[in-house]
Amino acid sequence: FGQTFQFFLAVGMVDEEIVLLIQEIKRLGKPDAEGKPRVKYGVLFKDDTVANTFEALLGTLKAAKKRKIIHFDGELLLQGVHDGVDIVLLRDTL
């Protein structure tokens, strides 16, 4: 029972972080030609609110990408190296 409960708790936390990520991409991003908010990884990573909100930004980004909520090129984003990579919000619901 305990492991199952922890799993659902963890899933709920990931969902909550993805909702927060959506809000931050909307806040920091600018619409592209299709009207989808787009933000550079470096802008997102260096933002104080983002830094204070997300314990593991990359993990939240990967979870959102896996659910097709966002898109970015590549599998891994590293601060500095990938600051210029666009993160595109594909949809704003879970």
Side-chain angles (χ1 to χ4, degrees):
F1 173 76
Q3 287 180 334
T4 303
F5 179 72
Q6 286 178 333
F7 171 77
F8 284 112
L9 198 62
V11 168
M13 288 173 52
V14 170
D15 285 352
E16 186 177 318
E17 288 215 342
I18 291 174
V19 169
L20 294 172
L21 177 65
I22 290 168
Q23 292 172 355
E24 293 305 321
I25 292 171
K26 285 179 168 182
R27 180 176 67 86
L28 295 168
K30 296 193 180 353
D32 62 14
E34 297 174 16
K36 295 179 178 167
R38 174 182 297 260
V39 64
K40 301 285 185 195
Y41 176 66
V43 172
L44 192 64
F45 185 87
K46 293 173 187 170
D47 182 77
D48 286 340
T49 301
V50 171
N52 292 324
T53 300
F54 299 96
E55 195 168 316
L57 178 60
L58 182 58
T60 305
L61 289 168
K62 288 174 80 172
K65 183 177 181 179
K66 185 176 180 180
R67 295 178 184 196
K68 300 187 183 334
I69 294 169
I70 63 168
H71 171 77
F72 58 87
D73 290 333
E75 293 297 314
L76 182 66
L77 295 172
L78 300 173
Q79 195 267 328
V81 178
H82 298 109
D83 283 358
V85 172
D86 283 325
I87 298 169
V88 182
L89 185 62
L90 302 176
R91 60 189 174 97
D92 61 3
T93 58
L94 294 179

